[in-house]
């Protein structure tokens, strides 16, 4: 991985974003925010899954005011997502929002923007300027190019800077992975504002997993990005699961059981797929990081399992338990998963 881009550190509630802070994971609730009980339930599922910051849509005053009650029930910071109406922004700040996602240019009236900026300054909360294909002014920028996204972001940012407000993070999302990567790269070279990465409208689980891994993953690999949001058409918890896998694959967050398993071939001596699925199921939610290998035969298995903390390899009549590639025990194949899980638990 390349060196991390130098970025300004800001705080969303108690979560640092930018500078040397760990890359944080964000998501957004799918419930009406004024339905406090459902929104709290969803945020608790997100925080239990490993989400660090959550955004809620603020469509009306009731939703803005609901933030105050929601905050009493959850641990992670809440960002209020506002479009156009400055009164909703001010009400969300009053209700205790830890951040706003708002494009000041959409409010238009300078005096009203000033009121929002004043409220944010007073409470010390940041604003995310979030541009995407849907939000840019199509009269001015008929095509969604990286340059259009970057220029549009600067228009919003300059309004805030003119009011001496720099507690800002920025996103430049597009559903086209190439455009998104180029836009972030371009913007990253121009300033030190922390960046919120995401591929927007990325589709359902499988489609989003691929697009987000390529888009978010390649930027993070280049050292660009401070916080990420994977967008999935589906259960919100899936967003956090994919985000955690992206970070773990790049060595940016070491958490949970990473299973490396062979694709199997004619040499396999047990059903690797069902063993891995059982292992995944039984170790779900384990917090400590451990790399575990599951290999289908003794031909290449032990060599490939060397990099893992623990591994199992199938032999003809029995299975072998390995520790850092060293043989620890040979047992009946039927007993190997239980033995492996006992060994994993010993390390938790
Ligand atoms: Fe085939 Fe064995 Fe390699 Fe698995 S470990 S892919 S079974 S050679």
């Amino acid at each position: 991985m390349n060196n991390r881009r130098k970025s300004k550190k800001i705080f969303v509630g108690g979560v640092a974003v930018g500078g040397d802070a760990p890359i944080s994971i964000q998501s957004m609730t799918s419930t009406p925010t004024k339905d406090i009980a459902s929104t709290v339930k969803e945020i608790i599922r997100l925080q239990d899954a490993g989400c660090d910051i959550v955004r809620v849509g603020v469509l009306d005053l009731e939703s803005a005011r609901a933030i105050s009650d929601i905050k009493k029930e959850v641990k992670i910071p809440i960002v209020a997502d506002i479009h156009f109406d400055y009164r909703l922004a001010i009400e969300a700040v009053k209700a205790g929002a830890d951040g706003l996602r708002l494009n000041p240019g959409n409010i238009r009236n300078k005096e009203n923007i000033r009121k929002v900026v004043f409220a944010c300054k007073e409470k010390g909360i940041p604003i995310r300027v979030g541009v995407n294909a849907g939000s840019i002014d199509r009269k001015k920028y008929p095509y969604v190019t990286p340059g259009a996204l970057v220029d549009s972001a600067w228009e919003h940012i300059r309004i805030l800077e003119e009011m001496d407000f720099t507690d800002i993070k920025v996103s430049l999302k597009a559903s086209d992975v190439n455009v998104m990567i180029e836009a972030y790269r371009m913007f990253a070279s121009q300033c030190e504002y922390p960046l919120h990465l995401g591929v927007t409208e990325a589709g359902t689980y499988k489609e989003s997993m691929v697009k987000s891994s390529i888009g978010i993953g390649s930027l993070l690999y280049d050292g660009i990005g401070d916080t990420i949001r994977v967008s999935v058409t589906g259960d919100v918890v899936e967003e956090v699961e994919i985000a955690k896998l992206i970070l773990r694959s790049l060595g940016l967050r070491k958490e949970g059981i990473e299973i490396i398993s062979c694709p199997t071939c004619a040499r396999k001596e047990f059903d690797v797929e069902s063993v891995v699925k059982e292992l995944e199921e039984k170790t779900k939610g384990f917090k400590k990081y451990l790399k575990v290998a599951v290999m289908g035969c003794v031909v290449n298995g032990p060599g490939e399992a060397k990099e893992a903390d623990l591994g199992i390899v199938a032999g003809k009549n029995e299975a072998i338990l390995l520790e850092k590639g060293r043989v620890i025990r040979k047992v009946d194949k039927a007993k190997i998963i239980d033995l492996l899980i006992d060994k994993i638990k010993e390390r938790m």
Side-chain angles (χ1 to χ4, degrees):
M1 276 205 10
N2 296 325
N3 281 342
R4 189 162 167 192
R5 160 184 172 259
K6 194 167 172 245
S7 64
K8 174 183 167 144
K9 189 189 274 185
I10 62 163
F11 282 87
V12 181
V15 178
V17 175
D20 59 356
I23 312 291
S24 49
I25 295 174
Q26 310 208 14
S27 184
M28 185 172 185
T29 51
S30 63
T31 51
T33 305
K34 56 188 166 195
D35 178 351
I36 296 170
S38 308
T39 304
V40 165
K41 208 164 142 199
E42 199 164 81
I43 297 177
I44 289 174
R45 287 182 62 231
L46 283 167
Q47 72 189 21
D48 288 349
C51 182
D52 301 302
I53 298 168
V54 68
R55 182 160 45 113
V56 300
V58 174
L59 286 72
D60 47 32
L61 283 173
E62 206 182 338
S63 297
R65 289 178 188 137
I67 292 173
S68 157
D69 286 327
I70 294 167
K71 273 188 67 95
K72 288 179 197 143
E73 308 289 329
V74 304
K75 294 191 200 112
I76 54 177
I78 293 182
V79 174
D81 189 275
I82 318 271
H83 289 276
F84 309 109
D85 192 340
Y86 81 99
R87 288 166 302 180
L88 300 182
I90 290 176
E91 205 59 35
V93 173
K94 263 198 224 159
D98 299 289
L100 295 183
R101 186 266 174 158
L102 165 147
N103 290 341
N106 296 345
I107 293 178
R108 296 179 199 280
N109 180 311
K110 277 258 163 91
E111 264 330 290
N112 293 339
I113 302 172
R114 211 178 290 283
K115 284 178 195 160
V116 175
V117 166
F118 181 76
C120 288
K121 269 191 193 167
E122 212 178 36
K123 290 268 183 87
I125 69 168
I127 294 177
R128 168 159 69 93
V129 167
V131 294
N132 57 46
S135 78
I136 59 173
D137 181 348
R138 286 302 183 95
K139 279 196 203 106
K140 213 167 184 178
Y141 308 107
Y143 303 106
V144 185
T145 61
L149 290 168
V150 169
D151 290 349
S152 170
W154 277 115
E155 281 184 32
H156 295 293
I157 294 165
R158 286 207 180 96
I159 297 173
L160 297 175
E161 286 179 338
E162 276 164 18
M163 296 179 185
D164 199 25
F165 188 88
T166 55
D167 200 2
I168 297 170
K169 64 188 158 80
V170 181
S171 62
L172 307 115
K173 299 183 187 180
S175 55
D176 182 310
V177 175
N178 295 300
V179 172
M180 169 263 185
I181 292 174
E182 270 314 307
Y184 277 105
R185 278 188 185 156
M186 197 184 283
F187 187 81
S189 67
Q190 298 173 352
C191 64
E192 291 187 0
Y193 285 124
L195 290 172
H196 165 124
L197 305 183
V199 177
T200 192
E201 292 125 23
T204 52
Y205 192 76
K206 209 185 338 176
E207 188 93 12
S208 172
M209 170 119 65
V210 173
K211 286 185 178 171
S212 303
S213 301
I214 296 170
I216 297 173
S218 46
L219 287 162
L220 289 175
Y221 182 79
D222 284 342
I224 296 170
D226 303 286
T227 181
I228 65 172
R229 193 257 171 130
V230 170
S231 112
V232 174
T233 309
D235 184 3
V236 286
V237 168
E238 291 177 344
E239 298 189 350
V240 178
E241 284 171 4
I242 298 173
K244 282 169 83 175
L245 286 175
I246 293 173
L247 294 182
R248 193 171 71 187
S249 302
L250 289 167
L252 292 167
R253 187 182 284 214
K254 295 229 159 179
E255 211 177 87
I257 310 301
E258 179 176 355
I259 301 172
I260 51 172
S261 55
C262 79
T264 79
C265 69
R267 295 187 187 87
K268 72 169 184 283
E269 300 282 4
F270 68 11
D271 183 354
V272 177
E273 187 184 356
S274 66
V275 168
V276 170
K277 284 194 171 147
E278 190 177 341
L279 191 58
E280 275 177 350
E281 200 47 47
K282 291 186 170 166
T283 58
K284 213 175 188 170
F286 284 22
K287 290 272 176 267
K288 200 171 155 192
Y289 177 73
L290 216 58
K291 195 184 262 189
V292 176
V294 180
M295 299 294 163
C297 78
V298 290
V299 177
N300 293 325
E304 286 172 10
K306 248 188 192 143
E307 303 303 315
D309 299 296
L310 288 167
I312 54 175
V313 174
K316 264 221 157 5
N317 306 309
E318 56 204 354
I320 306 161
L321 178 74
L322 304 150
E323 201 180 295
K324 297 272 182 206
R326 242 174 1 101
V327 177
I328 302 292
R329 263 174 81 179
K330 292 184 179 175
V331 292
D332 191 313
K333 281 185 210 171
K335 293 186 182 143
I336 193 70
I337 293 197
D338 289 338
L339 176 63
L340 177 63
I341 288 172
D342 285 347
K343 290 285 168 196
I344 292 172
K345 283 183 178 162
E346 278 173 21
R347 287 163 172 75
M348 288 295 118

